[in-house]
Amino acid sequence: MNAVTSFALWATPAPGAANGFSMLLPILLLIPLFYLLLIRPQQKRQKQWQQMMGGIKSGDRVTTAGGIRGTIMSIKDDAIVIRVPPDNLKLEVSKSAIASVTTQEDASNS
């Protein structure tokens, strides 16, 4: 057998083999599954974080991604200056490092 005929025998489907669409169907079903389980929840978290960051102001208590808790002193373009107890240290952290915000209204209601 030469190489052309052996390739032709290899490339032809066996009698009873599934057609191309039925082989492609599981892959097509994975796309909406990935969207529902991975992409959509991440977009929702990102939107909530952006709303939280849009509402911060001086006096709010924040927790950074590293676990540092403090009170916002001032807000810059891409950074926030926070005061950290007990020695009232002033730290400048990136806005992207803020994990959660507790506003003064939330703290007084608790």
Side-chain angles (χ1 to χ4, degrees):
M1 242 189 242
N2 63 16
V4 173
T5 50
S6 65
F7 179 74
L9 290 175
W10 177 75
T12 56
N19 62 9
F21 181 71
S22 65
M23 293 175 59
L24 191 61
L25 187 62
I27 295 172
L28 292 175
L29 292 176
L30 283 177
I31 294 171
L33 184 68
F34 277 137
Y35 176 77
L36 290 173
L37 294 178
L38 299 174
I39 298 170
R40 189 167 179 250
Q42 179 62 29
Q43 287 176 340
K44 189 176 180 180
R45 279 191 297 272
Q46 181 70 23
K47 185 177 179 182
Q48 288 174 343
W49 185 81
Q50 286 175 342
Q51 287 176 345
M52 177 184 70
M53 292 306 293
I56 61 172
K57 59 189 176 309
S58 294
D60 289 349
R61 293 194 42 82
V62 296
T63 302
T64 65
I68 299 172
R69 294 181 179 178
T71 306
I72 296 177
M73 299 286 294
S74 65
I75 301 171
K76 299 179 182 179
D77 289 335
D78 61 343
I80 296 174
V81 177
I82 61 173
R83 185 179 65 229
V84 182
D87 296 330
N88 290 329
L89 295 173
K90 291 182 182 177
L91 300 176
E92 184 173 329
V93 296
S94 173
K95 280 187 175 182
S96 62
I98 302 299
S100 66
V101 176
T102 305
T103 60
Q104 288 180 340
E105 294 83 32
D106 292 344
S108 63
N109 290 339
S110 298

